[in-house]
Amino acid sequence: MSARLPRAAPAPSVLALLAIGLSIGGCGGTGDDKDTPPRTPGSRGPAGLKVYRHAMDQAPTSLDPVQAANVYANFVVLNAYDTLFAYKYLARPFELKTNLAADWPEISADGLTYTIRIKPGVRFIDDPAFADGVGREVVAEDFVYSIKRHFDPKTRPQGAWLWINRIVGLDEWKAAGSDYAAEIAGLRALDTHTIRIQLTKPYPQLLFTLAMGFSAVVPREAVAYHGREFAVHPVGSGPFRLTSYDTSQVVFERNPRFRPEPVDIAFEGYDEAQHGFSGVAAIDGRSPPFLDRLEISFIAESSARWSSFTKGDEVQYTSIPNEHVDEVLATKQPVTLKPAFAEKYHFFAGVEAGFIFNAFNMDFPEFGYNDDPERERRNKALRCAINKAYSWEQRNESFYMGLGNIFPGIIVPVSPEFDPGLSRDSVTRDVAGARKLLADNGWTPENLPPLVYGANSSVSSRLIFEQFRAWMKEIGYPREKIILKRFATFGDISRAWKQSQLPYVSKGWGLDFPDAENTLQLFYGPNSSPGSNDANYRDPEYDRLYELSSTMLPSPERTAIYQRMNRMLIDDCVANTGLARTRIYLWHKNVIAIPDREIIGGFFLRYVDIVDASTGTVKGGAR
Amino acid sequence: MSAVAIPAVRRESLWSKAAWKLARDRTGMIALAFVLLYMLVAVGVTAGWWAADWSEVRGGKWEAMSAAHWFGTNLIGQDIFARAVYSTKTAFEVGLVVAVLATVIGAALGAVAGFFNGSWIDEVLLWLMGVLDSIPFYLFVAAIVFAMQDNPYAMHIAMISTFWTSVGRLIRGEVIKLRGLEYVEAAHAISVPEFVIIIRHILPNTTHILLVQATIMFVSAIKSEVILSFLGLGVKDGMSWGLMIAESSQEVMAGFFNNFLAASVLMFGLVMAFNMFSDALQDALDPRKVG
């Protein structure tokens, strides 16, 4: 059941502002603070407003969907904008569902043509960019315009890689000067509510890309009206509308005109045994969003976030910092909380949709490809020896409190194609084997090549390097030949990887969508630097298999190809991988949510609700 | 006539008086003994007598104090005692390099500025000192270190670039005083080159100032190195008390204090000892007190 709020009722946003004004006034001078709302993480203000306070470790640099290139931007953007598809709130493995799309697309038999209808009556928020300041209806042309922006260099787009060489005419449109008035054969609005996408070749991951913040739908007039300010002035049709944004915090209020769509909790993947504790069943049949106000603070220091969270000040939930894991957890396998924390907080533990790994840059002749076949053979032995000396177990214990999931290869545990039966030899430390491999291939401390190891300036990065260097010393690698090269920021070291300046890459990767293709492409030849293939691995057979699988729909045949590619990488010792971290989220018990943001990003925030502290029940009912 | 025995008069210089006074300053001597002990430790590290395994992983994570690991182990199982001892070498190396070079540069430029007081040379050098002094120290050091990221001596260069100005100002003032004395005017009168006058006749008379300033800068350099390393701007490849304290910033939240205590206690001991020795030296060399 759903119903719009009566027009005569004061808009929640007005109430929110009034409440804030009252609370500020209360702090101002009377000294009587009995009406000041309690500063609890999720709280009801004096007018019963539901305020949710959340913290992230970094601030997004832009709220423009074309620049939503990191998890922080994606997290925020998905609350202000709509995407055609989205992920089910609770279903694991991850499952897509329609969002702005009215139904699943009609796909031609050859898999090249997608016809997608969008929901009628969806409106952008009110903004001066529109006639009379009233948000207009979202139409198919808005989607076409939004994707075109990724191929317009003037917008400084970062998501074009998702659709390059995929959509008929799109790359040519860019080459011809990105003229928005020009039609694109493969990307058209058939009418106000119908989109037609024609692909150059089958692209099974297309719908995943249409659930990412990159594909969020923006109105053309708002981009034109706000100009560069559009990056900090989102105008979307999402569940929330922005009220303020700076480097320390972004604040949203409920979008009062967000389309009413009652939640079907069973459809969203609800499992009583798994999710019952959280109370999320209470949102069944009600239309999100349930919050009146959403505050996301950006707090870089984990200890500060933790302190803020435990004080109940402004952080809604957090991942437990490493240094507090022993204090908080009663057991790690399975994860349980100590009574003092279990009494106050709900928790959720899950494997991250991503992993951390190391890879050799094959363009360095000292470790990778070499004109001399004999040296190339010895290089492979050297890479394998280094991988054997690497101790994922120790790294897990030191930096991830022993909670990480070590696995062989680059198909991560949350991928549907993950093979739990794959041999773990490649992630099992074997110092004697490493030494033998070096000796058998003529490597001595004198002729081992210097290995420059890049690290940013954080303490953890430095210790990870020192640990690596100590392991290498155990197999006879002289300490002075493992050279630390420091970078001030992650951006600096990332640039060095992209420019192929380092022989050894140590990084993390978060899945953009739940398909192993997203990690296998990290070693696809044409993606070499400055693309995502930082290892510059170029194997004709691997590339052939990648291209073959890239047009295949999910099937046992495709999975077999993925797993074969995975084994090729392991056998070539090009990468030393990997570890998927366990995310442990805690949240206060007056909040109804499962705050898992893996892949889903900020999409879950529309489903968050606050328990009425006075009654212990959720108020509101159907809207 | 009978010969009259003339008692030998022992000529007492500023230096002999200062040495005599310093030797009787019990606090100063104890402090000096501590400094020499630290120096011995640093020499031993440099020679490879001890703490050679500071970078190796020899134990488990955050092991408690034991016979095998006197201060326990850190996050990745390295011996904290070995790292703390190794850091003594880093501290001495930074302190010595910075103190010596900053003192030499400060003495040279300060003497030139003072000797040519009122000329354009003095104006330029004063302007340079003013400019360098007007930049907030850590901001300036951070800028230089950032600009010279790959240079292992970036931190040293940054500190020397700023520390010499205080020596320079003091020496300039002293030289302005000295250059008006009769013996300098006499040197002028017999056409001794100005360069020789500065080097041979003026600078030696500022040695007591330089000595005290060098000890003060030594301590300042160590403290700055620790702070810069803590901030990630200091030691590039090696170990330092600052890096250990940076490591401990998260460990203390988990109730593990060994890294913090080992680095802090050793740093405190050296800085305190050197400060006390510096004070004693200053007292001993102060002409007003030496008499």
Side-chain angles (χ1 to χ4, degrees):
Chain A
M1 288 286 291
S2 67
R4 284 187 179 280
L5 281 172
R7 279 282 181 191
S13 57
V14 176
L15 288 174
L17 291 172
L18 183 62
I20 295 157
L22 283 172
S23 74
I24 291 169
C27 296
T30 63
D32 182 1
D33 61 355
K34 63 187 178 187
D35 291 332
T36 305
R39 192 72 174 152
T40 52
S43 64
R44 284 171 177 273
L49 293 179
K50 295 175 179 180
V51 183
Y52 177 90
R53 300 185 181 92
H54 176 87
M56 293 200 304
D57 52 351
Q58 298 286 333
T61 50
S62 168
L63 301 185
D64 186 339
V66 293
Q67 289 157 8
N70 55 46
V71 291
Y72 312 107
N74 193 52
F75 189 88
V76 175
V77 160
L78 288 173
N79 288 291
Y81 291 98
D82 257 330
T83 50
L84 293 187
F85 299 92
Y87 291 94
K88 290 182 182 177
Y89 179 28
L90 303 169
R92 302 291 181 278
F94 299 95
E95 287 180 35
L96 278 180
K97 65 175 184 179
T98 58
N99 187 32
L100 187 59
D103 205 344
W104 290 105
E106 292 169 15
I107 306 174
S108 63
D110 60 5
L112 293 177
T113 305
Y114 285 62
T115 305
I116 305 169
R117 290 186 178 79
I118 64 170
K119 290 170 181 167
V122 176
R123 304 189 77 84
F124 289 112
I125 59 169
D126 293 346
D127 189 87
F130 300 114
D132 302 326
V134 179
R136 64 163 172 78
E137 186 181 15
V138 179
V139 295
E141 188 58 46
D142 291 317
F143 172 80
V144 172
Y145 170 74
S146 301
I147 300 299
K148 278 182 172 177
R149 293 182 73 224
H150 281 281
F151 289 76
D152 175 5
K154 290 195 291 294
T155 65
R156 291 176 295 142
Q158 298 185 48
W161 60 275
L162 290 168
W163 303 292
I164 283 178
N165 296 328
R166 300 281 193 181
I167 297 177
V168 174
L170 190 51
D171 299 87
E172 292 77 6
W173 179 81
K174 179 184 177 184
S178 304
D179 175 11
Y180 287 93
E183 289 276 323
I184 297 173
L187 184 63
R188 286 183 296 148
L190 299 184
D191 57 41
T192 52
H193 295 107
T194 309
I195 299 159
R196 168 75 49 89
I197 300 173
Q198 282 183 298
L199 301 173
T200 55
K201 57 188 175 185
Y203 185 18
Q205 294 82 22
L206 176 67
L207 298 191
F208 289 135
T209 71
L210 302 184
M212 294 171 67
F214 279 136
S215 69
V217 179
V218 304
R220 185 172 185 168
E221 51 270 63
V223 176
Y225 181 86
H226 294 290
R228 294 187 67 178
E229 292 293 305
F230 186 70
V232 294
H233 192 108
V235 180
S237 56
F240 296 98
R241 55 183 294 162
L242 185 103
T243 59
S244 70
Y245 169 52
D246 57 36
T247 53
S248 65
Q249 192 183 50
V250 60
V251 179
F252 288 100
E253 62 182 12
R254 179 208 304 262
N255 174 4
R257 302 205 311 192
F258 188 65
R259 60 186 176 279
E261 290 182 345
V263 175
D264 178 347
I265 201 72
F267 172 78
E268 296 292 340
Y270 179 77
D271 172 8
E272 176 62 29
Q274 197 180 351
H275 307 117
F277 73 95
S278 68
V280 290
I283 67 171
D284 190 37
R286 301 167 53 219
S287 293
F290 307 119
L291 302 169
D292 297 303
R293 184 176 166 88
L294 170 62
E295 298 176 9
I296 302 173
S297 299
F298 311 122
I299 306 174
E301 275 295 319
S302 65
S303 54
R305 282 199 311 280
W306 177 253
S307 171
S308 193
F309 168 69
T310 49
K311 274 195 306 179
D313 193 357
E314 58 182 342
V315 182
Q316 184 48 57
Y317 79 91
T318 182
S319 290
I320 305 174
N322 277 355
E323 59 271 23
H324 290 289
V325 167
D326 288 336
E327 174 194 349
V328 177
L329 297 191
T331 60
K332 293 179 183 173
Q333 299 288 348
V335 173
T336 58
L337 302 188
K338 286 183 176 170
F341 290 91
E343 195 177 318
K344 288 194 285 187
Y345 310 121
H346 285 311
F347 81 98
F348 172 82
V351 181
E352 73 166 322
F355 70 133
I356 52 174
F357 67 103
N358 308 296
F360 291 93
N361 185 343
M362 299 295 283
D363 274 351
F364 276 71
E366 299 90 340
F367 298 94
Y369 302 125
N370 196 296
D371 294 336
D372 176 7
E374 172 58 14
R375 176 60 194 260
E376 191 167 310
R377 185 192 63 75
R378 291 178 64 223
N379 282 356
K380 180 181 171 185
L382 174 58
R383 294 195 303 271
C384 292
I386 290 173
N387 288 355
K388 279 179 183 291
Y390 201 92
S391 174
W392 281 107
E393 290 292 343
Q394 283 185 43
R395 181 163 176 184
N396 187 22
E397 193 55 43
S398 297
F399 296 98
Y400 311 107
M401 307 306 289
L403 291 165
N405 299 270
I406 299 164
F407 64 95
I410 63 161
I411 298 181
V412 300
V414 301
S415 288
E417 301 84 1
F418 177 69
D419 176 10
L422 188 60
S423 166
R424 295 179 65 83
D425 286 352
S426 65
V427 286
T428 303
R429 192 164 198 233
D430 178 9
V431 174
R435 283 190 182 138
K436 183 174 184 306
L437 203 52
L438 290 179
D440 289 349
N441 288 277
W443 289 113
T444 64
E446 291 72 34
N447 67 12
L448 282 167
L451 195 161
V452 178
Y453 188 106
N456 66 36
S457 57
S458 72
V459 172
S460 296
S461 294
R462 184 189 175 84
L463 284 171
I464 288 171
F465 159 75
E466 287 202 27
Q467 199 175 43
F468 175 77
R469 183 170 62 182
W471 293 331
M472 294 308 112
K473 190 153 186 275
E474 286 182 51
I475 61 168
Y477 225 117
R479 197 174 73 83
E480 62 276 11
K481 287 193 173 181
I482 308 291
I483 301 159
L484 176 64
K485 183 173 173 60
R486 304 195 69 175
F487 295 84
T489 64
F490 176 76
D492 292 336
I493 192 170
S494 186
R495 200 172 303 117
W497 292 329
K498 293 284 168 220
Q499 295 172 355
S500 192
Q501 293 174 352
L502 292 169
Y504 195 66
V505 175
S506 183
K507 66 187 296 189
W509 182 263
L511 291 191
D512 296 300
F513 39 77
D515 187 322
E517 186 271 349
N518 197 236
T519 50
L520 290 166
Q521 58 87 24
L522 294 171
F523 294 88
Y524 175 51
N527 286 352
S528 295
S529 300
S532 54
N533 179 4
D534 295 328
N536 294 302
Y537 180 66
R538 288 180 290 272
D539 184 286
E541 176 62 7
Y542 184 93
D543 292 349
R544 187 187 71 78
L545 291 173
Y546 178 84
E547 285 156 13
L548 176 67
S549 64
S550 70
T551 58
M552 294 170 70
L553 288 169
S555 63
E557 292 75 24
R558 192 183 74 165
T559 299
I561 293 174
Y562 280 178
Q563 290 176 352
R564 189 172 155 203
M565 294 163 72
N566 198 29
R567 284 194 296 275
M568 288 176 68
L569 292 172
I570 294 171
D571 292 344
D572 272 351
C573 297
V574 63
N576 174 19
T577 173
L579 183 144
R581 293 160 287 195
T582 295
R583 304 285 196 202
I584 302 174
Y585 298 112
L586 270 75
W587 63 101
H588 291 258
K589 286 193 169 175
N590 64 332
V591 174
I592 296 170
I594 295 289
D596 177 9
R597 70 179 193 192
E598 297 297 310
I599 292 188
I600 291 177
F603 188 75
F604 78 90
L605 285 167
R606 69 186 62 188
Y607 298 116
V608 172
D609 200 359
I610 308 293
V611 177
D612 185 333
S614 60
T615 64
T617 59
V618 180
K619 281 187 175 176
R623 290 176 51 215
Chain B
M1 274 182 77
S2 62
V4 178
I6 302 171
V9 178
R10 185 161 167 260
R11 187 164 173 264
E12 286 193 319
S13 69
L14 171 75
W15 294 106
S16 60
K17 286 180 183 175
W20 183 84
K21 191 174 179 192
L22 182 64
R24 273 151 190 78
D25 185 333
R26 181 176 292 180
T27 309
M29 284 298 98
I30 293 172
L32 179 60
F34 266 99
V35 170
L36 291 175
L37 180 64
Y38 272 97
M39 189 181 286
L40 178 65
V41 170
V43 169
V45 170
T46 308
W49 297 336
W50 42 69
D53 60 346
W54 66 273
S55 66
E56 291 174 25
V57 173
R58 289 286 171 86
K61 173 184 175 183
W62 289 343
E63 283 185 12
M65 295 181 185
S66 66
H69 305 292
W70 293 359
F71 273 101
T73 60
N74 69 359
L75 181 71
I76 60 173
Q78 293 168 315
D79 187 279
I80 289 176
F81 181 72
R83 289 161 78 79
V85 167
Y86 185 89
S87 301
T88 309
K89 177 203 147 194
T90 305
F92 261 86
E93 181 220 301
V94 173
L96 277 175
V97 170
V98 171
V100 169
L101 290 179
T103 302
V104 168
I105 293 170
L109 295 181
V112 169
F115 193 80
F116 297 106
N117 176 236
S119 71
W120 67 269
I121 298 174
D122 186 30
E123 291 290 322
V124 168
L125 288 171
L126 274 179
W127 171 84
L128 182 61
M129 291 183 210
V131 168
L132 290 172
D133 286 347
S134 67
I135 304 170
F137 173 67
Y138 285 108
L139 201 61
F140 180 72
V141 173
I144 289 188
V145 168
F146 186 76
M148 304 175 68
Q149 279 184 30
D150 285 336
N151 191 324
Y153 293 102
M155 175 179 60
H156 302 67
I157 292 168
M159 281 197 263
I160 293 165
S161 303
T162 51
F163 283 10
W164 72 268
T165 59
S166 57
V167 183
R169 286 186 192 283
L170 284 170
I171 297 301
R172 177 179 174 272
E174 187 69 10
V175 170
I176 290 171
K177 191 176 79 180
L178 292 173
R179 74 170 194 163
L181 297 182
E182 290 86 348
Y183 79 95
V184 177
E185 289 180 359
H188 273 300
I190 59 173
S191 302
V192 177
E194 289 173 333
F195 176 73
V196 176
I197 295 174
I198 293 172
I199 296 293
R200 187 173 295 172
H201 301 293
I202 292 183
L203 270 181
N205 285 305
T206 64
T207 314
H208 60 292
I209 297 173
L210 295 177
L211 207 55
V212 172
Q213 284 301 305
T215 59
I216 292 171
M217 276 192 292
F218 185 95
V219 176
S220 298
I222 290 173
K223 288 191 290 187
S224 299
E225 179 273 311
V226 169
I227 293 169
L228 289 169
S229 295
F230 176 82
L231 295 173
L233 298 167
V235 172
K236 301 286 178 192
D237 186 15
M239 193 30 60
S240 138
W241 293 322
L243 288 174
M244 293 177 70
I245 293 172
E247 280 177 26
S248 73
S249 59
Q250 292 185 339
E251 293 174 349
V252 293
M253 304 290 284
F256 188 79
F257 298 92
N258 292 18
N259 241 330
F260 176 75
L261 286 176
S264 302
V265 167
L266 284 181
M267 182 181 74
F268 175 79
L270 179 59
V271 169
M272 180 62 95
F274 226 104
N275 265 334
M276 290 166 74
F277 173 65
S278 178
D279 280 349
L281 194 63
Q282 199 164 6
D283 287 345
L285 287 169
D286 188 340
R288 288 165 298 184
K289 293 181 182 173
V290 173

